[in-house]
Amino acid sequence: MRRADPQLHQQRRLQILEGAERCFRSKGFHQASMQDIANESGVSMGLLYRYFANKEAIVVSFADSDSAELVSLLAEFAASSSPLELWPGILRRMLKEASEPDYVRITTEVFAEALRNPKLFESLVQSDDTVRRALIDAIKAQQSAGRMVAQLDPIVAADILMGMIDGVGLRACLVRQFKPRAIERHIQDLVRPWFVAPA
């Protein structure tokens, strides 16, 4: 009996996810079929179903991967002695997809589907809540270290930030001359008073 090759398994999984992303970008979430994803990924339907039961499972994998990356960055931020220096890079990463119209269009389709699909909805809520909790914990850690202002409510701050980022995504879809870097600079200016200036 052949033993599974973990490296090959990961390569195949990544190959399928990359193909699915291309498919979703070109056709949209609803129009892309599992057959389309298999064709775009260069795998058989049988192999595709060995990795993902449906399109929703692919979406959850994307969401979990994104949240894991952000949680890692926020853990680094929480432990940093120079959080104000790290913060611009973290915000840029959080805004990365939000400023891409194709990504926001797909995300909007997925959220609409989630409103009809309780299982998908719960999975997306969990991924979002993972990032939200990591952001709250990071703010609390920096407050305890005296590097962010004590009067700041960590929960409200996290919700404001995530709400602004979600809003940026919608504006990127609706405004033709949208300038994400200018928006990023203004968000930086709004958040800077949350930090205690280094002595």
Side-chain angles (χ1 to χ4, degrees):
M1 187 173 179
R2 293 178 61 187
R3 297 178 62 184
D5 182 339
Q7 185 175 357
L8 178 60
H9 177 86
Q10 185 60 27
Q11 288 174 348
R12 287 287 193 215
R13 183 181 175 84
L14 182 60
Q15 178 181 344
I16 292 168
L17 289 172
E18 288 174 346
E21 182 177 5
R22 291 192 298 271
C23 220
F24 290 158
R25 285 182 181 274
S26 63
K27 292 176 175 286
F29 174 76
H30 288 296
Q31 293 301 317
S33 67
M34 289 294 275
Q35 183 66 66
D36 291 330
I37 292 169
N39 293 344
E40 184 66 37
S41 304
V43 301
S44 68
M45 286 292 286
L47 184 60
L48 174 59
Y49 280 114
R50 280 174 54 188
Y51 285 84
F52 299 100
N54 47 43
K55 290 189 294 183
E56 289 77 9
I58 294 173
V59 166
V60 170
S61 180
F62 283 134
D64 288 347
S65 177
D66 282 349
S67 64
E69 182 183 350
L70 286 170
V71 166
S72 177
L73 287 173
L74 289 167
E76 184 181 350
F77 173 81
S80 174
S81 59
S82 305
L84 191 54
E85 293 178 12
L86 282 184
W87 175 245
I90 293 173
L91 179 61
R92 190 164 298 122
R93 169 59 187 84
M94 295 177 80
L95 284 167
K96 184 175 72 171
E97 287 93 357
S99 61
E100 294 180 10
D102 281 352
Y103 178 87
V104 179
R105 177 174 53 82
I106 294 165
T107 302
T108 303
E109 285 188 64
V110 169
F111 284 158
E113 176 63 26
L115 294 176
R116 298 185 290 267
N117 183 332
K119 187 175 180 181
L120 176 59
F121 181 82
E122 187 57 34
S123 295
L124 295 179
V125 166
Q126 287 180 10
S127 288
D128 185 79
D129 194 52
T130 297
V131 175
R132 180 175 179 268
R133 288 179 183 277
L135 181 53
I136 291 168
D137 289 344
I139 293 170
K140 287 180 177 179
Q142 289 298 344
Q143 285 177 315
S144 295
R147 300 187 190 103
M148 293 187 77
V149 297
Q151 297 86 352
L152 185 67
D153 184 322
I155 295 173
V156 173
D159 288 337
I160 288 172
L161 276 169
M162 295 180 77
M164 283 194 293
I165 289 164
D166 290 342
V168 166
L170 290 176
R171 300 309 297 166
C173 279
L174 296 171
V175 180
R176 293 182 187 277
Q177 300 301 320
F178 188 76
K179 297 178 180 178
R181 294 307 294 271
I183 296 292
E184 178 188 324
R185 288 194 297 272
H186 283 289
I187 294 177
Q188 297 285 15
D189 290 341
L190 289 169
V191 171
R192 192 169 289 112
W194 296 0
F195 292 84
V196 174

